[in-house]
Amino acid sequence: GEIKKETGFSHSQITRLYSRFTSLDKGENGTLSREDFQRIPELAINPLGDRIINAFFPEGEDQVNFRGFMRTLAHFRPIEDNEKSKDQNGPEPLNSRSNKLHFAFRLYDLDKDDKISRDELLQVLRMMVGVNISDEQLGSIADRTIQEADQDGDSAISFAEFVKVLEKVDVEQKMSIRFLH
Amino acid sequence: MQPPAASPGPAAPAEAELLRWQWREVQAPCLVAAWILVASLAKIVFHLSRKVTSIVPESCLLILLGLGLGGIVLAVAKKAEYQLEPNMFFLFLLPPIVLDSGYFMPSRLFFDNIGAILTYAVVGTLWNSFTTGAALWGLHQAGLMDPGIEAGLMDFLLFGSLISAVDPVAVLAVFEEVHVNETLFIIVFGESLLNDAVTVVLYKVFNSFVELGPARIHAMDYVKGVASFFLVSLGGTAVGLLFAFLLALITRFTKRVRIIEPLFVFLLAYVAYLAAEMVSLSSILAVTFCGICCKKYVEANISQKSRTTVKYTMKTLASSSETIIFMFLGISAVDTSKWAWDTALVLGTLFFILLFRAVGVVLQTYVLNHFRLIPLDRIDQVVMSYGGLRGAVAFALVILLDRAKVKAKDYFVATTIVVVFFTVIVQGLTIKPLVTWLKVKRSDHHKPTLNEELHEHAFDHILAAVEDIVGHHGYHYWRDKWEQFDKKYLSQLLMRKSAYRLRDEIWDVYYKLNIRDAISFVDQAVGTPQPSGVLAAPMPALSSQGGHVLSAAKLALPSMPSRTSMSESSVTNLLRESGSGACLDLQVIDTVRSRRDKEDAAMHHVLRGSLYKPRRRYKASYSRHFISPDKQERQDKEIFRQNMKRRLETFKSTKHNVCSSKSKARLKEKGRKKKNISLTSDAPNGKTHRNVPWQEAAPVLVMVSSEEEESDSSETEREDDEGIVFIARATDEVLQGKTTPGSLDVCPSPCIIPPSPTLAEKELPWKGDQADLAVYVSSETTKIVPVDMQKAWNQSISSLESIASPPGIESGPQHRRFACPVLEEQPQSANQAISEQSSCFQFPSHISKSGRSQSDSSPDGAEQQELQPLMATEEQGRMVPTTEPRWLMFNRASHL
């Protein structure tokens, strides 16, 4: 019930995800560890796999319970029509545009200083592009990326700047997946 | 156009003729050409008034024009002479349009919405055909139509099948001007392309049913009909994929015959169309999928020039086909002999197609929205219903009907013409206001920024990962799988190794952005020649040079505007500012100028290739004639671009002007790319080309550089910029350790260019990191360099001139040839350099090559040696091919 309210998932979705949760939970202790995630074969070859797994874990912990699991997944719930209008006063739903963006932002921001530094950007770039691109090229890409986004001249991308550069992108769509009912 | 008037033969056949009237021989092609000409001229006329074209879609105007022309022809010839022949339409006019739409289909968007598109195309078209056909039949049964119309259920279903298909040509023509959001566009347009299979099958099936007569149709025939649907659609797609594969494979091996690359694209796509047509599969599907699928590989394989050629040729062909189609639609309508009007049938058809389209869309959308991430809302549905335009395909199909079997053909023809006219003209005219009125989300065309590209990439990975975690194999899962498959097998098989290696979307975007900036920079630089001229005034030599630049820039300009117009990113603007504002100090401009001079010269050559032909021919005699000029031009252009890019970077990065070193570095990178592209076999050739730009540019360059040099000699600091080169390398090491931008103060030439460093710092602070390193290097070197440099320069200036100017050129062919072995090994070292240092900085390899070859042929070998040690000291720890320093010197000298 609480999960439903917090994440906005429907009852059947929660049930479905719970069964997935338990099937991932090899230790059967009601929580998932990093290893549980890493066992998913496709995730292992996902360039950002590790980062994404990390995003599931609250700071400093290496277990995540079902609730936390759902909370993270809720970021990817598409925004539904009826949600757009309501919720003006309540807390921002997890799947709001800004929360979706923040999720992505945190993947870059390793040291959690709310800034993507050149280094952090480079690391992600390195993961995402093939080995064919040299460090130098990557460096120039990173420079350019930061230059594009940077507004306050700190040679890093703050969350505000991150939101700004992506303002034309249909984040609601591009950061949502369809959860089976 | 008026053969009868022109045909009277002048001379008696018995005598020997001086000239003979041969109208008959040329009649057909001449008429074709005349029609195309008329249509194209009409287009020009339409576009004279922006007001008209902004309100009335071109397709409407063309149809009206066709009506007018048809009327004239009718009045003159007393009979309708011309009309849209189905054969001509299907064999010649349709393929270019379909190929164009397939090839330039935004494939990501297309496949993102493939489910919806397929549903509308298949289910929607089936629904429309059957309901429309049945409803019309009902109308007929109810006795509302002229009893003279002899048509049974099958005839009406046949008519329904041809009238209900949304037409790609019409949709494209109208929607291109409306600019609705891309999702909406791709759904309507995708539907219009993919419904071809359904239309073809229904049309054929019903046609044969009509021929058979209702009595003799067996259950088996229905089953066959269904089976043939799958056969036709899947078969068509398979043919398309097969040819796409072939095409990609072939272009992989065209590196020595670049000139025919575009030909392959067109030929194979056309053959795909014909092949599908031959076995009566869906030819439209074949070409569409051929276009969609081959693009990625073909674009990676063929040269930049070929890419442009393909693009323009395709657009030209498609646009002229479209023009002719609409015009002939108008003309054909005049031919009343084929008409048989029945008001009830016409109105009924119009009403039913609109009604059932709307109903169908609403029903399907209702179902689809359960599966769609982003549901299609009401407004989308309205536009989709209303955007269901009918067009030439329907017309051609109805003309193809056999009057002997389909008794009501004349009625159907008339009705089809009315429907087509109604949808194209009325709906075409009103859809724009409708879209505005409904406030449909428009597409905002902005160029992708690097951030967007990068983050969207990240999003894709994230979504794929989340789908994995959720354990639900959705769209992203399959896309991810496909991408891996593509990367592992397809790309390896279908792309040149070089292209494959270089391929990365993020890098591509970065690359494009840089080019765009460069172009806009040229634009801006040309726009503001005045201030720089003024600045340069104190030094006479300079000012003269400024004038020179101006003219050169003007020369280069004509080719630019079209491209510059699209460069609007904020970064570009930023650059503009920093380019014109921050870097107003003399040196920046000067150096840029000299550079630009050379490049403009190069550009100029590209534009008017004839200038240097003699020399090129020379070279050609050496090997593979036709590629070389081609490539060489490309080379010039690329070098030009690279230079610009580099220069821009320096602007960004910098504080001081000169980018010579940087641009050199850029060149290097280019060199590598080129090397990759033009694998080993090109090596000798490529090298020679590489030399050429410099040699060609030489006449201009030499003067300029020497002038500049003299004028600049007071400001040796510029040399530090050489430091920038090192920066590049240095950064590499520094990348990890963050440095603070503050360290800029180390910059040795702050006094000279006070404004630019600060500005640069502000705007591009991270550059500080690099600069900082560079500065260290350069600050040491400044002490040494200037002195030595000047000496060196003074000693070598004459020899340099000889290198760069005519003597070198004349001896070109020979020395080039013998330079080859040297060059042969060069690439390797360059490659190493690449791998070890930076891909960005490979270019020097070619430059060094040119340097080397030059040195081979001229007496400056000594100079080189002289300079080398010097450079070595300043560049310790850096791995540079020995020849490079020489090059640096050459450049640097130009600023002394």
Side-chain angles (χ1 to χ4, degrees), chain B residues 661 664-665 668 725 729 826 837 841 844-845 847-848 864 868 871 875 878-889:
Chain B
S661 50
K664 238 172 294 150
K668 207 188 211 171
V725 158
R729 261 121 219 181
Q826 201 59 29
Q837 312 165 348
F841 299 89
S845 65
I847 286 159
S848 63
Q864 196 178 339
Q868 266 168 22
M871 297 304 284
E875 298 166 3
R878 204 174 135 218
M879 4 199 351
V880 197
T882 45
T883 41
E884 193 177 333
R886 199 207 139 277
W887 170 249
L888 293 180
M889 296 315 286

PDB file of all heavy atoms in Angstrom, chain B residues 661 664-665 668 725 729 826 837 841 844-845 847-848 864 868 871 875 878-889:
ATOM      1  N   SER B 661      50.195  25.553 -34.361  1.00  0.00           N
ATOM      2  CA  SER B 661      50.527  24.219 -33.920  1.00  0.00           C
ATOM      3  C   SER B 661      49.295  23.376 -33.791  1.00  0.00           C
ATOM      4  O   SER B 661      49.266  22.239 -34.184  1.00  0.00           O
ATOM      5  CB  SER B 661      51.217  24.305 -32.587  1.00  0.00           C
ATOM      6  OG  SER B 661      50.447  25.110 -31.752  1.00  0.00           O
ATOM      7  N   LYS B 664      47.914  22.312 -36.869  1.00  0.00           N
ATOM      8  CA  LYS B 664      48.734  21.269 -37.406  1.00  0.00           C
ATOM      9  C   LYS B 664      48.299  19.947 -36.816  1.00  0.00           C
ATOM     10  O   LYS B 664      48.151  18.957 -37.492  1.00  0.00           O
ATOM     11  CB  LYS B 664      50.163  21.514 -36.997  1.00  0.00           C
ATOM     12  CG  LYS B 664      51.042  21.626 -38.182  1.00  0.00           C
ATOM     13  CD  LYS B 664      52.391  22.060 -37.724  1.00  0.00           C
ATOM     14  CE  LYS B 664      52.368  23.440 -37.150  1.00  0.00           C
ATOM     15  NZ  LYS B 664      53.344  23.667 -36.131  1.00  0.00           N
ATOM     16  N   ALA B 665      48.119  20.023 -35.537  1.00  0.00           N
ATOM     17  CA  ALA B 665      47.734  18.807 -34.857  1.00  0.00           C
ATOM     18  C   ALA B 665      46.470  18.271 -35.472  1.00  0.00           C
ATOM     19  O   ALA B 665      46.321  17.103 -35.744  1.00  0.00           O
ATOM     20  CB  ALA B 665      47.509  19.108 -33.403  1.00  0.00           C
ATOM     21  N   LYS B 668      46.929  16.563 -38.424  1.00  0.00           N
ATOM     22  CA  LYS B 668      47.474  15.248 -38.192  1.00  0.00           C
ATOM     23  C   LYS B 668      46.347  14.265 -38.044  1.00  0.00           C
ATOM     24  O   LYS B 668      46.315  13.225 -38.666  1.00  0.00           O
ATOM     25  CB  LYS B 668      48.223  15.298 -36.875  1.00  0.00           C
ATOM     26  CG  LYS B 668      49.336  14.296 -36.804  1.00  0.00           C
ATOM     27  CD  LYS B 668      49.825  14.357 -35.390  1.00  0.00           C
ATOM     28  CE  LYS B 668      51.264  14.058 -35.237  1.00  0.00           C
ATOM     29  NZ  LYS B 668      51.704  14.330 -33.889  1.00  0.00           N
ATOM     30  N   VAL B 725      50.657  22.889 -28.802  1.00  0.00           N
ATOM     31  CA  VAL B 725      50.801  21.552 -29.307  1.00  0.00           C
ATOM     32  C   VAL B 725      51.065  20.618 -28.184  1.00  0.00           C
ATOM     33  O   VAL B 725      50.473  19.582 -28.039  1.00  0.00           O
ATOM     34  CB  VAL B 725      51.969  21.481 -30.267  1.00  0.00           C
ATOM     35  CG1 VAL B 725      52.426  20.063 -30.353  1.00  0.00           C
ATOM     36  CG2 VAL B 725      51.538  21.978 -31.597  1.00  0.00           C
ATOM     37  N   ARG B 729      49.382  17.005 -25.930  1.00  0.00           N
ATOM     38  CA  ARG B 729      49.957  15.823 -25.334  1.00  0.00           C
ATOM     39  C   ARG B 729      49.882  15.872 -23.839  1.00  0.00           C
ATOM     40  O   ARG B 729      49.581  14.948 -23.156  1.00  0.00           O
ATOM     41  CB  ARG B 729      51.416  15.743 -25.718  1.00  0.00           C
ATOM     42  CG  ARG B 729      51.564  14.822 -26.830  1.00  0.00           C
ATOM     43  CD  ARG B 729      52.172  15.522 -27.971  1.00  0.00           C
ATOM     44  NE  ARG B 729      51.570  15.105 -29.178  1.00  0.00           N
ATOM     45  CZ  ARG B 729      51.964  15.586 -30.331  1.00  0.00           C
ATOM     46  NH1 ARG B 729      52.920  16.482 -30.342  1.00  0.00           N
ATOM     47  NH2 ARG B 729      51.404  15.190 -31.401  1.00  0.00           N
ATOM     48  N   GLN B 826      56.293   6.389 -42.979  1.00  0.00           N
ATOM     49  CA  GLN B 826      55.763   7.467 -42.177  1.00  0.00           C
ATOM     50  C   GLN B 826      54.457   7.110 -41.489  1.00  0.00           C
ATOM     51  O   GLN B 826      54.294   7.351 -40.304  1.00  0.00           O
ATOM     52  CB  GLN B 826      55.568   8.700 -43.053  1.00  0.00           C
ATOM     53  CG  GLN B 826      55.508   9.976 -42.266  1.00  0.00           C
ATOM     54  CD  GLN B 826      56.764  10.194 -41.476  1.00  0.00           C
ATOM     55  OE1 GLN B 826      57.830   9.748 -41.864  1.00  0.00           O
ATOM     56  NE2 GLN B 826      56.659  10.828 -40.346  1.00  0.00           N
ATOM     57  N   GLN B 837      49.665   8.898 -28.347  1.00  0.00           N
ATOM     58  CA  GLN B 837      49.330  10.208 -27.846  1.00  0.00           C
ATOM     59  C   GLN B 837      47.880  10.526 -28.055  1.00  0.00           C
ATOM     60  O   GLN B 837      47.063  10.355 -27.191  1.00  0.00           O
ATOM     61  CB  GLN B 837      50.183  11.254 -28.535  1.00  0.00           C
ATOM     62  CG  GLN B 837      51.622  10.820 -28.508  1.00  0.00           C
ATOM     63  CD  GLN B 837      52.407  11.634 -29.484  1.00  0.00           C
ATOM     64  OE1 GLN B 837      51.836  12.330 -30.299  1.00  0.00           O
ATOM     65  NE2 GLN B 837      53.699  11.550 -29.397  1.00  0.00           N
ATOM     66  N   PHE B 841      45.935  14.438 -32.794  1.00  0.00           N
ATOM     67  CA  PHE B 841      47.126  15.113 -33.221  1.00  0.00           C
ATOM     68  C   PHE B 841      47.951  14.374 -34.223  1.00  0.00           C
ATOM     69  O   PHE B 841      49.143  14.478 -34.282  1.00  0.00           O
ATOM     70  CB  PHE B 841      47.951  15.476 -32.013  1.00  0.00           C
ATOM     71  CG  PHE B 841      47.147  16.365 -31.172  1.00  0.00           C
ATOM     72  CD1 PHE B 841      46.322  15.854 -30.203  1.00  0.00           C
ATOM     73  CD2 PHE B 841      47.124  17.720 -31.432  1.00  0.00           C
ATOM     74  CE1 PHE B 841      45.530  16.689 -29.475  1.00  0.00           C
ATOM     75  CE2 PHE B 841      46.323  18.552 -30.711  1.00  0.00           C
ATOM     76  CZ  PHE B 841      45.533  18.044 -29.724  1.00  0.00           C
ATOM     77  N   PRO B 844      49.989  15.922 -38.253  1.00  0.00           N
ATOM     78  CA  PRO B 844      51.339  16.273 -38.622  1.00  0.00           C
ATOM     79  C   PRO B 844      52.020  15.199 -39.427  1.00  0.00           C
ATOM     80  O   PRO B 844      52.882  15.480 -40.224  1.00  0.00           O
ATOM     81  CB  PRO B 844      52.015  16.488 -37.306  1.00  0.00           C
ATOM     82  CG  PRO B 844      50.925  16.934 -36.419  1.00  0.00           C
ATOM     83  CD  PRO B 844      49.675  16.281 -36.917  1.00  0.00           C
ATOM     84  N   SER B 845      51.595  13.998 -39.238  1.00  0.00           N
ATOM     85  CA  SER B 845      52.272  12.967 -39.982  1.00  0.00           C
ATOM     86  C   SER B 845      52.259  13.299 -41.445  1.00  0.00           C
ATOM     87  O   SER B 845      53.241  13.143 -42.124  1.00  0.00           O
ATOM     88  CB  SER B 845      51.599  11.626 -39.751  1.00  0.00           C
ATOM     89  OG  SER B 845      50.303  11.670 -40.267  1.00  0.00           O
ATOM     90  N   ILE B 847      51.789  16.179 -42.686  1.00  0.00           N
ATOM     91  CA  ILE B 847      52.516  17.395 -42.913  1.00  0.00           C
ATOM     92  C   ILE B 847      53.991  17.128 -42.903  1.00  0.00           C
ATOM     93  O   ILE B 847      54.742  17.587 -43.738  1.00  0.00           O
ATOM     94  CB  ILE B 847      52.191  18.413 -41.829  1.00  0.00           C
ATOM     95  CG1 ILE B 847      50.802  18.918 -42.119  1.00  0.00           C
ATOM     96  CG2 ILE B 847      53.174  19.534 -41.852  1.00  0.00           C
ATOM     97  CD1 ILE B 847      50.167  19.506 -40.929  1.00  0.00           C
ATOM     98  N   SER B 848      54.325  16.339 -41.956  1.00  0.00           N
ATOM     99  CA  SER B 848      55.735  16.046 -41.880  1.00  0.00           C
ATOM    100  C   SER B 848      56.152  15.351 -43.144  1.00  0.00           C
ATOM    101  O   SER B 848      57.234  15.526 -43.646  1.00  0.00           O
ATOM    102  CB  SER B 848      56.027  15.175 -40.671  1.00  0.00           C
ATOM    103  OG  SER B 848      55.385  13.943 -40.805  1.00  0.00           O
ATOM    104  N   GLN B 864      66.658  21.922 -41.753  1.00  0.00           N
ATOM    105  CA  GLN B 864      65.894  21.056 -40.896  1.00  0.00           C
ATOM    106  C   GLN B 864      66.753  20.536 -39.770  1.00  0.00           C
ATOM    107  O   GLN B 864      66.393  20.572 -38.617  1.00  0.00           O
ATOM    108  CB  GLN B 864      65.371  19.903 -41.710  1.00  0.00           C
ATOM    109  CG  GLN B 864      64.270  19.174 -41.017  1.00  0.00           C
ATOM    110  CD  GLN B 864      63.774  18.072 -41.904  1.00  0.00           C
ATOM    111  OE1 GLN B 864      63.981  18.115 -43.113  1.00  0.00           O
ATOM    112  NE2 GLN B 864      63.151  17.099 -41.322  1.00  0.00           N
ATOM    113  N   GLN B 868      66.212  20.998 -35.870  1.00  0.00           N
ATOM    114  CA  GLN B 868      65.797  19.874 -35.057  1.00  0.00           C
ATOM    115  C   GLN B 868      66.298  19.882 -33.633  1.00  0.00           C
ATOM    116  O   GLN B 868      65.519  19.736 -32.711  1.00  0.00           O
ATOM    117  CB  GLN B 868      66.169  18.577 -35.735  1.00  0.00           C
ATOM    118  CG  GLN B 868      64.995  18.082 -36.554  1.00  0.00           C
ATOM    119  CD  GLN B 868      65.395  16.971 -37.453  1.00  0.00           C
ATOM    120  OE1 GLN B 868      66.392  16.315 -37.181  1.00  0.00           O
ATOM    121  NE2 GLN B 868      64.660  16.751 -38.497  1.00  0.00           N
ATOM    122  N   MET B 871      64.400  22.226 -31.621  1.00  0.00           N
ATOM    123  CA  MET B 871      63.067  21.797 -31.285  1.00  0.00           C
ATOM    124  C   MET B 871      63.110  20.701 -30.250  1.00  0.00           C
ATOM    125  O   MET B 871      62.292  20.630 -29.368  1.00  0.00           O
ATOM    126  CB  MET B 871      62.349  21.279 -32.527  1.00  0.00           C
ATOM    127  CG  MET B 871      62.156  22.333 -33.569  1.00  0.00           C
ATOM    128  SD  MET B 871      61.277  23.742 -32.917  1.00  0.00           S
ATOM    129  CE  MET B 871      59.640  23.052 -32.876  1.00  0.00           C
ATOM    130  N   GLU B 875      61.023  20.274 -26.916  1.00  0.00           N
ATOM    131  CA  GLU B 875      59.964  19.293 -26.900  1.00  0.00           C
ATOM    132  C   GLU B 875      60.368  18.000 -26.235  1.00  0.00           C
ATOM    133  O   GLU B 875      59.950  16.935 -26.639  1.00  0.00           O
ATOM    134  CB  GLU B 875      59.544  18.980 -28.335  1.00  0.00           C
ATOM    135  CG  GLU B 875      59.014  20.178 -29.038  1.00  0.00           C
ATOM    136  CD  GLU B 875      58.947  19.898 -30.499  1.00  0.00           C
ATOM    137  OE1 GLU B 875      59.268  18.781 -30.888  1.00  0.00           O
ATOM    138  OE2 GLU B 875      58.591  20.817 -31.227  1.00  0.00           O
ATOM    139  N   ARG B 878      58.609  14.437 -25.655  1.00  0.00           N
ATOM    140  CA  ARG B 878      57.499  14.306 -26.546  1.00  0.00           C
ATOM    141  C   ARG B 878      57.926  13.414 -27.683  1.00  0.00           C
ATOM    142  O   ARG B 878      59.022  13.528 -28.185  1.00  0.00           O
ATOM    143  CB  ARG B 878      57.252  15.694 -27.093  1.00  0.00           C
ATOM    144  CG  ARG B 878      55.904  15.899 -27.544  1.00  0.00           C
ATOM    145  CD  ARG B 878      55.843  17.355 -27.901  1.00  0.00           C
ATOM    146  NE  ARG B 878      55.167  17.459 -29.150  1.00  0.00           N
ATOM    147  CZ  ARG B 878      55.519  18.328 -30.069  1.00  0.00           C
ATOM    148  NH1 ARG B 878      56.548  19.093 -29.869  1.00  0.00           N
ATOM    149  NH2 ARG B 878      54.837  18.406 -31.159  1.00  0.00           N
ATOM    150  N   MET B 879      57.051  12.542 -28.065  1.00  0.00           N
ATOM    151  CA  MET B 879      57.486  11.719 -29.163  1.00  0.00           C
ATOM    152  C   MET B 879      56.943  12.282 -30.459  1.00  0.00           C
ATOM    153  O   MET B 879      55.768  12.195 -30.734  1.00  0.00           O
ATOM    154  CB  MET B 879      56.960  10.305 -29.023  1.00  0.00           C
ATOM    155  CG  MET B 879      56.060  10.148 -27.832  1.00  0.00           C
ATOM    156  SD  MET B 879      55.923   8.474 -27.409  1.00  0.00           S
ATOM    157  CE  MET B 879      56.718   7.737 -28.772  1.00  0.00           C
ATOM    158  N   VAL B 880      57.844  12.814 -31.190  1.00  0.00           N
ATOM    159  CA  VAL B 880      57.408  13.414 -32.432  1.00  0.00           C
ATOM    160  C   VAL B 880      58.277  12.868 -33.539  1.00  0.00           C
ATOM    161  O   VAL B 880      59.461  12.681 -33.349  1.00  0.00           O
ATOM    162  CB  VAL B 880      57.649  14.920 -32.406  1.00  0.00           C
ATOM    163  CG1 VAL B 880      56.837  15.577 -33.486  1.00  0.00           C
ATOM    164  CG2 VAL B 880      57.321  15.455 -31.044  1.00  0.00           C
ATOM    165  N   PRO B 881      57.660  12.621 -34.631  1.00  0.00           N
ATOM    166  CA  PRO B 881      58.502  12.230 -35.758  1.00  0.00           C
ATOM    167  C   PRO B 881      59.476  13.367 -35.998  1.00  0.00           C
ATOM    168  O   PRO B 881      59.108  14.526 -35.905  1.00  0.00           O
ATOM    169  CB  PRO B 881      57.512  12.132 -36.923  1.00  0.00           C
ATOM    170  CG  PRO B 881      56.157  12.082 -36.323  1.00  0.00           C
ATOM    171  CD  PRO B 881      56.258  12.664 -34.961  1.00  0.00           C
ATOM    172  N   THR B 882      60.667  13.018 -36.307  1.00  0.00           N
ATOM    173  CA  THR B 882      61.683  14.049 -36.383  1.00  0.00           C
ATOM    174  C   THR B 882      61.355  15.144 -37.364  1.00  0.00           C
ATOM    175  O   THR B 882      61.791  16.251 -37.225  1.00  0.00           O
ATOM    176  CB  THR B 882      63.034  13.446 -36.788  1.00  0.00           C
ATOM    177  OG1 THR B 882      62.790  12.555 -37.863  1.00  0.00           O
ATOM    178  CG2 THR B 882      63.659  12.733 -35.622  1.00  0.00           C
ATOM    179  N   THR B 883      60.626  14.767 -38.325  1.00  0.00           N
ATOM    180  CA  THR B 883      60.328  15.777 -39.329  1.00  0.00           C
ATOM    181  C   THR B 883      59.382  16.842 -38.820  1.00  0.00           C
ATOM    182  O   THR B 883      59.342  17.926 -39.317  1.00  0.00           O
ATOM    183  CB  THR B 883      59.688  15.133 -40.552  1.00  0.00           C
ATOM    184  OG1 THR B 883      58.770  14.167 -40.081  1.00  0.00           O
ATOM    185  CG2 THR B 883      60.743  14.513 -41.399  1.00  0.00           C
ATOM    186  N   GLU B 884      58.660  16.497 -37.850  1.00  0.00           N
ATOM    187  CA  GLU B 884      57.646  17.440 -37.433  1.00  0.00           C
ATOM    188  C   GLU B 884      58.203  18.787 -37.000  1.00  0.00           C
ATOM    189  O   GLU B 884      57.692  19.810 -37.392  1.00  0.00           O
ATOM    190  CB  GLU B 884      56.825  16.845 -36.311  1.00  0.00           C
ATOM    191  CG  GLU B 884      55.567  17.666 -36.088  1.00  0.00           C
ATOM    192  CD  GLU B 884      54.715  17.040 -35.040  1.00  0.00           C
ATOM    193  OE1 GLU B 884      54.807  15.830 -34.878  1.00  0.00           O
ATOM    194  OE2 GLU B 884      53.979  17.750 -34.371  1.00  0.00           O
ATOM    195  N   PRO B 885      59.225  18.743 -36.211  1.00  0.00           N
ATOM    196  CA  PRO B 885      59.760  20.015 -35.791  1.00  0.00           C
ATOM    197  C   PRO B 885      59.998  20.947 -36.972  1.00  0.00           C
ATOM    198  O   PRO B 885      59.711  22.100 -36.934  1.00  0.00           O
ATOM    199  CB  PRO B 885      61.072  19.651 -35.142  1.00  0.00           C
ATOM    200  CG  PRO B 885      60.899  18.262 -34.708  1.00  0.00           C
ATOM    201  CD  PRO B 885      59.924  17.632 -35.642  1.00  0.00           C
ATOM    202  N   ARG B 886      60.483  20.327 -37.990  1.00  0.00           N
ATOM    203  CA  ARG B 886      60.772  21.137 -39.138  1.00  0.00           C
ATOM    204  C   ARG B 886      59.511  21.843 -39.582  1.00  0.00           C
ATOM    205  O   ARG B 886      59.507  23.011 -39.909  1.00  0.00           O
ATOM    206  CB  ARG B 886      61.278  20.252 -40.266  1.00  0.00           C
ATOM    207  CG  ARG B 886      61.989  21.076 -41.267  1.00  0.00           C
ATOM    208  CD  ARG B 886      61.928  20.464 -42.624  1.00  0.00           C
ATOM    209  NE  ARG B 886      61.705  21.508 -43.589  1.00  0.00           N
ATOM    210  CZ  ARG B 886      60.533  21.991 -43.863  1.00  0.00           C
ATOM    211  NH1 ARG B 886      59.490  21.529 -43.231  1.00  0.00           N
ATOM    212  NH2 ARG B 886      60.397  22.923 -44.769  1.00  0.00           N
ATOM    213  N   TRP B 887      58.517  21.103 -39.546  1.00  0.00           N
ATOM    214  CA  TRP B 887      57.270  21.706 -39.975  1.00  0.00           C
ATOM    215  C   TRP B 887      56.904  22.836 -39.040  1.00  0.00           C
ATOM    216  O   TRP B 887      56.517  23.899 -39.435  1.00  0.00           O
ATOM    217  CB  TRP B 887      56.167  20.660 -39.993  1.00  0.00           C
ATOM    218  CG  TRP B 887      54.896  21.341 -40.192  1.00  0.00           C
ATOM    219  CD1 TRP B 887      53.897  21.484 -39.316  1.00  0.00           C
ATOM    220  CD2 TRP B 887      54.525  22.070 -41.341  1.00  0.00           C
ATOM    221  NE1 TRP B 887      52.912  22.235 -39.851  1.00  0.00           N
ATOM    222  CE2 TRP B 887      53.274  22.622 -41.093  1.00  0.00           C
ATOM    223  CE3 TRP B 887      55.142  22.333 -42.571  1.00  0.00           C
ATOM    224  CZ2 TRP B 887      52.606  23.396 -42.014  1.00  0.00           C
ATOM    225  CZ3 TRP B 887      54.464  23.103 -43.485  1.00  0.00           C
ATOM    226  CH2 TRP B 887      53.213  23.629 -43.205  1.00  0.00           C
ATOM    227  N   LEU B 888      57.067  22.550 -37.819  1.00  0.00           N
ATOM    228  CA  LEU B 888      56.728  23.565 -36.853  1.00  0.00           C
ATOM    229  C   LEU B 888      57.497  24.832 -37.152  1.00  0.00           C
ATOM    230  O   LEU B 888      56.961  25.917 -37.125  1.00  0.00           O
ATOM    231  CB  LEU B 888      57.079  23.089 -35.452  1.00  0.00           C
ATOM    232  CG  LEU B 888      56.232  21.920 -34.967  1.00  0.00           C
ATOM    233  CD1 LEU B 888      56.663  21.528 -33.591  1.00  0.00           C
ATOM    234  CD2 LEU B 888      54.764  22.281 -35.015  1.00  0.00           C
ATOM    235  N   MET B 889      58.715  24.601 -37.444  1.00  0.00           N
ATOM    236  CA  MET B 889      59.529  25.753 -37.712  1.00  0.00           C
ATOM    237  C   MET B 889      58.955  26.535 -38.869  1.00  0.00           C
ATOM    238  O   MET B 889      58.849  27.729 -38.849  1.00  0.00           O
ATOM    239  CB  MET B 889      60.956  25.315 -38.083  1.00  0.00           C
ATOM    240  CG  MET B 889      61.661  24.619 -36.961  1.00  0.00           C
ATOM    241  SD  MET B 889      61.441  25.475 -35.427  1.00  0.00           S
ATOM    242  CE  MET B 889      62.524  26.844 -35.732  1.00  0.00           C
TER     243      MET B 889
END
